[in-house]
Amino acid sequence: MRNRTGPGRPRDPQLDAQVLAATQELLVSAGYQATTIAAVARRAGVVTTSIYRRWPGKRALVEDAIFALDGGHLPVPTGELRADLLAWTRLFLDAAAQPAARSAIPGLLSEYHDDRESYRRLLDRGEQPTRAALRELVIDAASRGRADAGCDVDALFEFLRGATLIRALTHGAGDADAFCARIADALLAVATTAGQRINPNQ
Amino acid sequence: MRNRTGPGRPRDPQLDAQVLAATQELLVSAGYQATTIAAVARRAGVVTTSIYRRWPGKRALVEDAIFALDGGHLPVPTGELRADLLAWTRLFLDAAAQPAARSAIPGLLSEYHDDRESYRRLLDRGEQPTRAALRELVIDAASRGRADAGCDVDALFEFLRGATLIRALTHGAGDADAFCARIADALLAVATTAGQRINPNQ
């Protein structure tokens, strides 16, 4: 067992990586419920206090492990909106379909059932860079006449996220080509249509 | 404790309803994990064998309890596609936002993690009448020139389901009017646009 992280010692990035990798592995091999701090510590070969020094609890650790999976790289815009939307759909699907993510997402959703604020924080954390980048992509396409500047980017994002998440949980990344092509086409329809003014009485 | 369900006695619809109601209540008050067959039996005032005679296990019971929540009534078509899509969006959101459903869905997703076939059966069961009815709605609108007959109804359904499910889990049914109006508008954009031919090489 490692013993490099006594109080007062500086954080050890290698230890962090080791703990995150152990968490990812356990999520896949043992499932969310069995991915406890104690089990992660055993697998990573560290003491639990080393983990608690860095993460307040299981939720935070699992969240970090899931975010560490996806390199955080969004597709580089190609100048062709349909191709860009296809790349985004693929990225969202692949991220949610990774075995550790598929194991963790329902588990986290379950824990957040009575804790909506944490859940929203999680979503916001995952969403922040992506929602803004999608908006930028669409604005840029609109400036070239390839999207409608008045389209509803929030709805676009919600469609993208919702459809890929359910698909990933039900089908994984299998047989994804046709699915992603269909979703990209339908997203393009949203991007090229002006959102109507909302009538709050409807 | 009721004692009306000895072996050989006919099924008792009132007992079924009592068990489903107890399941729904427990999902809300105690959460998915604590909603065990034993706890449901205690709350319903029946013996566990009465429950096992009717349901093979917890998953099946929770599924039935969730399906029993929603009366299974789809909106009556109005002849106006935007209004119909709005009614559908509201229905999906309200169904997923019911406290017992919000408690059960992540729990079931978590259990189905390693059992994709069951999960697909669940989705198919919930989907069958709705996906067909949505298709009929769109075909009818297309016959009146209000939708594109070549639009992608599957993508429409996946957008509707995914966006409302995530919204329900994160926000419940709160502040739903503006959300539903935006989603209905964006769904209308999909319904009025021909799906492109899928290029399997993409």
Side-chain angles (χ1 to χ4, degrees):
Chain A
M1 191 170 295
R2 296 169 65 126
N3 190 22
R4 306 169 49 185
T5 52
R9 300 206 189 192
R11 279 259 309 283
D12 176 348
Q14 197 194 324
L15 185 137
D16 286 3
Q18 207 167 326
V19 169
L20 292 175
T23 306
Q24 293 161 358
E25 291 159 15
L26 266 179
L27 284 166
V28 177
S29 63
Y32 181 82
Q33 296 302 329
T35 303
T36 60
I37 296 281
V40 170
R42 270 196 303 278
R43 188 177 192 101
V46 303
V47 293
T48 54
T49 46
S50 300
I51 298 181
Y52 281 115
R53 194 167 299 129
R54 172 69 182 85
W55 290 277
K58 169 176 170 171
R59 281 188 199 177
L61 175 60
V62 170
E63 287 177 17
D64 271 9
I66 298 311
F67 281 106
L69 280 174
D70 113 44
H73 302 299
L74 292 171
V76 177
T78 64
E80 209 276 281
L81 185 59
R82 165 65 170 66
D84 291 339
L85 291 172
L86 182 63
W88 276 67
T89 305
R90 195 75 199 213
L91 179 81
F92 270 56
L93 182 67
D94 287 348
Q98 294 194 66
R102 276 179 57 207
S103 168
I105 291 169
L108 288 172
L109 290 183
S110 209
E111 293 219 35
Y112 289 138
H113 168 243
D114 288 321
D115 183 11
R116 276 204 264 172
E117 275 316 304
S118 294
Y119 187 12
R120 286 194 215 176
R121 265 199 307 279
L122 172 69
L123 285 181
D124 288 347
R125 176 183 175 186
E127 273 182 39
Q128 233 148 23
T130 43
R131 202 184 272 260
L134 185 62
R135 190 172 303 280
E136 205 167 313
L137 184 76
V138 171
I139 290 172
D140 178 65
S143 75
R144 290 174 288 107
R146 313 298 290 186
D148 192 299
C151 77
D152 187 339
V153 181
D154 288 321
L156 195 68
F157 185 84
E158 280 144 29
F159 287 171
L160 173 64
R161 180 178 63 183
T164 52
L165 182 67
I166 293 187
R167 174 76 184 194
L169 292 173
T170 53
H171 293 74
D175 195 22
D177 288 348
F179 171 80
C180 290
R182 287 199 298 101
I183 294 301
D185 284 339
L187 293 175
L188 187 64
V190 176
T192 52
T193 306
Q196 291 172 29
R197 204 181 306 275
I198 292 165
N199 176 353
N201 297 321
Q202 272 187 308
Chain B
M1 191 170 294
R2 299 169 62 125
N3 191 21
R4 306 170 47 184
T5 54
R9 300 206 189 191
R11 279 259 308 283
D12 177 346
Q14 197 195 325
L15 186 137
D16 286 3
Q18 206 167 327
V19 169
L20 292 175
T23 306
Q24 293 161 358
E25 291 159 15
L26 266 178
L27 285 166
V28 176
S29 63
Y32 181 82
Q33 297 301 332
T35 303
T36 61
I37 297 282
V40 170
R42 269 196 303 279
R43 188 176 191 101
V46 303
V47 293
T48 55
T49 46
S50 300
I51 299 180
Y52 281 116
R53 195 168 297 129
R54 174 68 182 86
W55 289 278
K58 169 176 170 172
R59 282 188 198 176
L61 175 59
V62 170
E63 287 177 17
D64 272 9
I66 298 312
F67 281 106
L69 280 174
D70 112 45
H73 301 300
L74 293 170
V76 177
T78 64
E80 210 277 280
L81 185 58
R82 165 64 170 68
D84 291 339
L85 291 172
L86 182 64
W88 276 68
T89 305
R90 194 74 199 215
L91 179 81
F92 271 56
L93 182 67
D94 287 347
Q98 294 194 67
R102 277 178 56 207
S103 168
I105 292 169
L108 288 172
L109 291 182
S110 208
E111 293 219 34
Y112 290 138
H113 168 244
D114 288 321
D115 182 12
R116 275 203 266 172
E117 275 316 305
S118 295
Y119 186 12
R120 285 194 215 175
R121 265 200 306 280
L122 172 69
L123 284 180
D124 288 346
R125 176 182 174 186
E127 273 182 39
Q128 234 148 22
T130 42
R131 203 185 271 259
L134 184 63
R135 190 172 302 280
E136 206 168 313
L137 184 77
V138 170
I139 289 172
D140 177 65
S143 75
R144 290 175 287 108
R146 313 298 290 187
D148 192 298
C151 77
D152 187 339
V153 181
D154 288 321
L156 196 68
F157 185 85
E158 279 145 29
F159 286 171
L160 173 64
R161 181 177 62 184
T164 52
L165 182 67
I166 293 187
R167 174 76 182 194
L169 292 173
T170 53
H171 293 74
D175 195 23
D177 288 347
F179 172 80
C180 290
R182 287 201 297 102
I183 294 302
D185 284 339
L187 292 174
L188 187 63
V190 177
T192 52
T193 306
Q196 291 172 31
R197 204 181 307 274
I198 292 165
N199 176 355
N201 297 322
Q202 272 186 307

